[in-house]
């Protein structure tokens, strides 16, 4: 599977433009992580890109979410490493994180959410002027974007990153595709 095929499948299964943007943001963070950790950028990027492909299909059923996504990824030709990372990014499945890819997706997904939320409360709603310190402040402010799981983000330590490093990497990655994100 190449990126274009993954995007075609996303277009076929996801209507919500913001959900597509969330997957693009997660893809960008995953690529940056792979690059920083010397891992496979294509593989990690595709994992981020596809991770929520089943969200509309599963209609909020958290027991199906990510199971179906992993199946769809396999159908597209993803390997078991990618499918496993997608499967266990949803905590409801109760599947332990095993590989570095599992751990990376698990913390990159909510970081994409936190950075997006921190951008949308800016007067200009643009990523360009957003700084690491502001995102860190929002991270600590528990009532802000309360649905974003801070503990999950903090698990970046499991892949050897300090929180501020991780936020900086994620922020730069998302700034790099700001136009695609509409931010
Ligand atoms: Fe997600």
């Amino acid at each position: 599977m190449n990126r274009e095929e993954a995007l075609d499948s996303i277009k076929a299964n996801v209507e919500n433009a913001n959900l597509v943007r969330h997957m693009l943001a997660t893809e960008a963070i995953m690529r940056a992580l792979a690059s920083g950790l010397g891992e496979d950028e294509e593989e990690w990027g595709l994992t981020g890109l596809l991770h929520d492909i089943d969200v509309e299909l599963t209609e909020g059923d958290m027991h199906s979410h990510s199971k179906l996504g992993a199946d769809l990824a396999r159908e597209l030709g993803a390997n078991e490493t990618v499918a496993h990372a997608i499967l266990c990014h949803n905590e409801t499945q109760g599947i332990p994180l095993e590989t570095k890819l599992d751990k990376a997706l698990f913390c990159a997904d909510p970081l994409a959410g936190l950075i997006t939320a921190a951008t949308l409360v800016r007067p200009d709603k643009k990523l360009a002027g957003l700084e690491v310190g502001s995102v860190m402040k929002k991270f600590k402010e528990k009532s802000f974007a309360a649905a974003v799981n801070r503990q999950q983000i903090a698990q970046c330590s499991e892949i050897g990153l300090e929180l501020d490093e991780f936020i900086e990497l994620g922020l730069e990655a998302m700034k790099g595709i700001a136009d695609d994100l509409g931010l």
Side-chain angles (χ1 to χ4, degrees):
M1 161 194 33
N2 58 35
R3 185 172 187 271
E4 211 175 276
E5 287 162 346
L7 274 174
D8 283 346
S9 181
I10 286 169
K11 274 180 204 148
N13 290 296
V14 181
E15 270 182 29
N16 183 335
N18 286 333
L19 179 55
V20 175
R21 288 179 182 140
H22 166 67
M23 292 195 276
L24 290 171
T26 308
E27 176 193 25
I29 298 174
M30 290 295 288
R31 286 193 75 99
L33 278 174
S35 157
L37 297 171
E39 299 289 338
D40 185 332
E41 284 182 50
E42 292 305 316
E43 181 178 84
W44 283 40
L46 281 171
T47 307
L49 183 62
L50 288 169
H51 82 280
D52 273 342
I53 190 170
D54 67 354
V55 162
E56 290 180 4
L57 295 168
T58 52
E59 297 177 328
D61 174 7
M62 291 307 278
H63 293 283
S64 318
H65 169 49
S66 87
K67 234 182 223 167
L68 179 62
D71 286 343
L72 288 171
R74 282 189 197 99
E75 273 170 37
L76 284 165
N79 61 36
E80 273 313 302
T81 312
V82 170
H84 190 268
I86 293 174
L87 179 65
C88 61
H89 93 272
N90 171 17
E91 268 186 310
T92 308
Q93 304 296 359
I95 296 168
L97 306 176
E98 288 167 5
T99 67
K100 230 183 220 185
L101 182 58
D102 293 346
K103 293 168 185 169
L105 178 63
F106 192 72
C107 60
D109 176 19
L111 181 63
L114 179 68
I115 294 175
T116 300
T119 306
L120 293 175
V121 293
R122 292 175 55 80
D124 64 2
K125 296 185 169 37
K126 293 287 174 204
L127 268 165
L130 183 61
E131 288 172 8
V132 178
S134 320
V135 180
M136 190 64 115
K137 238 187 188 167
K138 298 295 187 202
F139 177 91
K140 290 177 183 156
E141 200 181 309
K142 282 182 186 144
S143 60
F144 175 80
V148 172
N149 189 330
R150 273 41 173 197
Q151 259 188 328
Q152 205 172 321
I153 295 176
Q155 285 198 34
C156 61
S157 60
E158 298 280 319
I159 49 170
L161 290 177
E162 298 290 334
L163 182 60
D164 56 347
E165 279 181 301
F166 183 43
I167 289 177
E168 184 169 10
L169 175 145
L171 187 54
E172 289 312 310
M174 285 178 61
K175 281 181 180 176
I177 57 155
D179 285 347
D180 294 335
L181 301 177
L183 296 172

